[in-house]
Amino acid sequence: THPHTVELTVENTGERLAPQLIATLAEPFRRGTDRIRTDHAGVGLGLAIVTSITRAHDGTLTLTPRPAGGLRVTVRLPAAPHPGR
């Protein structure tokens, strides 16, 4: 938490991701390249939904490639005012 925002960061490991690919990952139905799990491939809506929810709450979503591979996803939302302020 910060004075005026709250922040949640999630990271995963995997292949190194090109900046051009990162820019498309929050688009609906985009799953990147070779991002298929064996149990269920998914449809590429997860980050698109996160983007919609984040915007609805006046927040920001940042996608950053990790240097060793994988992705760092950070959501920042305005902190709720404390009662009595």
Side-chain angles (χ1 to χ4, degrees):
T1 61
H2 303 281
H4 301 287
T5 61
V6 293
E7 179 177 302
L8 172 68
T9 299
V10 178
E11 297 184 12
N12 67 8
T13 59
E15 296 180 26
R16 289 187 178 168
L17 302 172
Q20 299 87 351
L21 176 62
I22 299 294
T24 68
L25 291 178
E27 296 175 10
F29 306 108
R30 296 296 300 250
R31 293 186 306 133
T33 59
D34 299 321
R35 295 179 57 226
I36 297 174
R37 300 184 329 215
T38 56
D39 57 331
H40 177 55
V43 294
L45 289 175
L47 287 174
I49 292 170
V50 171
T51 299
S52 294
I53 293 169
T54 301
R55 286 181 184 161
H57 293 280
D58 297 321
T60 60
L61 173 69
T62 306
L63 305 177
T64 309
R66 297 180 67 229
L71 185 66
R72 176 179 295 121
V73 178
T74 301
V75 174
R76 283 187 190 90
L77 299 171
H82 290 276
R85 286 191 181 174

